[in-house]
Amino acid sequence: MTAQHDFPLVNLHEFETTSSTGRLEYGSRVDTICRRSGFLAITGHGVPADLIETMWDETRKFFDLPLEQKLKACPRQPGDPYGYFTVKSEALARSRAGMDRGPLLPDLKESFSCGPIHPLTGREGADELAFCYAPTPWSAVSPAFHATWIAYYDAMEKLAERIMRLFACALGLPEAYFNPYFRAPISSLRGLNYPEQDTAPQPGQIRAGAHSDYGTLTLLLPQQGSGGLEILGPDGQWQAVPAIPDAFVINIGDLMALWTNNRWVSTVHRVVNPPSSRKGQDRRQSLAFFQQPDWDSMIEALPNCVSTGHPPVFSPVRSGTYLMNKFRSTQ
Ligand SMILES: O=C(O)CCC(=O)C(=O)O
Ligand SMILES: [Fe+2]
């Protein structure tokens, strides 16, 4: 399963269609990967190629619009998570406050994000409504962009559910173990555009500052042929993540590290600037789906990840407030 690039690859379709013994073998391999880095590439995902292509087209067209038009899609209120975010409006490294994180200059990227696509269930509290059900400014984008984003979000939500089954298997749990935590997930989808760098960035300012993701699982599609994504290894060295054809790069976020009592790593990663030799020719794009359990899901160490010698490392956290506090720390 470890192929070119020395980057771990897992075929999801093969996992789902193999025997129960085969599934356990897949689970055990995924457990080893998640203990080491929590980053792997998923093939056999079944997401239609034409949906992915339309998603790239629509998203690129949006970022190509004049700034004044994109600004019409800004979040309705400061602190809202959805809509258009200008270059230098977020510093992901600030989400790691309190750790040794170097300079905290804002990221050299722009983005558009949307929130849950399903109707509200009527059980939501005030914070939840104000934050993760804040409106996505769809009226400020084209109908084709809107329709494509909904279809892609839906495909990512289903893919993330399938990966959580693989994760349950990797942790020795029943495959449907995580389902009750995802009755009304508050996942978000983000298109990222890292513009060409015509002028040299300030010292210490990069495309996306070093951070770990906040939720359970991120499904990332880096633009083919692009570079810059790096993960921090246990040896303190940064390692490049390749953009593998027809594969999603997936990584686990803080809530999986919490759930597994640090058995799995929520690996720190960043996006670095292109080399100055490519000045003016290295725009980069990516699509990121951040899977996040229901607002009220309490995440605490799984019983099978706790022992007398290894008591819970973290206090339990509520999914929604954890996400909201992390997001707001970066603005
Ligand atoms: O654009 C990328 O490749 C990674 C972006 C990322 O890590 C994030 O937005 O959390
Ligand atoms: Fe990230």
Side-chain angles (χ1 to χ4, degrees):
M1 124 170 134
T2 306
Q4 82 275 34
H5 317 290
D6 198 23
F7 194 75
L9 284 178
V10 175
N11 186 310
L12 189 59
H13 177 72
E14 282 175 15
F15 161 73
E16 288 169 338
T17 51
T18 188
S19 63
S20 49
T21 321
R23 286 161 96 88
L24 290 178
E25 280 166 19
Y26 264 90
S28 154
R29 277 189 270 160
V30 168
D31 181 41
T32 306
I33 296 165
C34 290
R35 284 172 189 253
R36 242 183 244 146
S37 78
F39 266 78
L40 58 147
I42 288 278
T43 55
H45 50 74
V47 180
D50 57 347
L51 173 59
I52 294 176
E53 205 179 306
T54 314
M55 183 67 185
W56 280 125
D57 285 351
E58 288 300 329
T59 306
R60 188 180 328 101
K61 273 196 271 175
F62 173 79
F63 287 123
D64 285 348
L65 292 171
L67 180 62
E68 355 25 301
Q69 206 161 333
K70 291 186 277 190
L71 289 174
K72 293 186 183 145
C74 278
R76 300 290 148 91
Q77 292 189 54
D80 279 2
Y82 311 131
Y84 174 65
F85 291 82
T86 57
V87 174
K88 298 192 210 167
S89 59
E90 181 180 67
L92 279 173
R94 286 187 198 138
S95 64
R96 295 175 74 217
M99 299 172 74
D100 176 20
R101 62 204 178 277
L104 298 179
L105 293 168
D107 300 338
L108 298 172
K109 62 165 199 255
E110 58 183 339
S111 63
F112 184 93
S113 297
C114 84
I117 58 172
H118 303 292
L120 298 173
T121 61
R123 293 183 298 111
E124 297 77 16
D127 276 353
E128 187 175 0
L129 285 173
F131 181 69
C132 65
Y133 285 103
T136 299
W138 294 122
S139 58
V141 296
S142 75
F145 177 102
H146 183 186
T148 306
W149 270 57
I150 300 290
Y152 188 83
Y153 185 110
D154 185 54
M156 291 304 103
E157 195 163 52
K158 293 186 169 118
L159 178 57
E161 263 172 49
R162 290 163 63 202
I163 295 168
M164 286 306 280
R165 297 178 78 83
L166 169 60
F167 281 177
C169 175
L171 291 165
L173 300 165
E175 282 182 22
Y177 182 88
F178 292 113
N179 290 3
Y181 297 90
F182 292 90
R183 301 239 185 265
I186 51 172
S187 310
S188 61
L189 173 61
R190 187 172 244 207
L192 291 140
N193 184 46
Y194 303 89
E196 290 171 3
Q197 298 186 342
D198 302 322
T199 51
Q202 284 189 55
Q205 188 163 37
I206 59 173
R207 287 184 147 175
H211 65 283
S212 58
D213 289 349
Y214 321 142
T216 31
L217 177 61
T218 303
L219 304 176
L220 181 73
L221 206 51
Q223 180 185 353
Q224 273 312 297
S226 70
L229 176 61
E230 296 183 342
I231 57 181
L232 186 59
D235 54 1
Q237 299 293 310
W238 290 98
Q239 183 201 338
V241 175
I244 299 168
D246 302 323
F248 283 87
V249 170
I250 67 163
N251 66 280
I252 59 162
D254 299 345
L255 296 188
M256 276 325 285
L258 225 138
W259 237 330
T260 61
N261 204 20
N262 267 353
R263 165 162 147 182
W264 288 3
V265 209
S266 177
T267 289
V268 172
H269 53 284
R270 66 180 185 181
V271 180
V272 294
N273 298 324
S276 55
S277 57
R278 299 201 56 189
K279 198 186 275 185
Q281 298 167 39
D282 199 42
R283 176 183 181 177
R284 175 181 197 272
Q285 290 172 91
S286 65
L287 302 168
F289 178 80
F290 301 100
Q291 191 208 35
Q292 185 79 27
D294 303 357
W295 178 276
D296 273 330
S297 288
M298 291 303 295
I299 314 299
E300 57 189 307
L302 293 161
N304 68 348
C305 294
V306 172
S307 64
T308 36
H310 185 42
V313 177
F314 307 100
S315 307
V317 303
R318 186 182 303 277
S319 165
T321 33
Y322 185 79
L323 171 71
M324 183 172 74
N325 293 338
K326 282 283 193 178
F327 175 81
R328 291 196 168 154
S329 69
T330 66
Q331 300 301 296

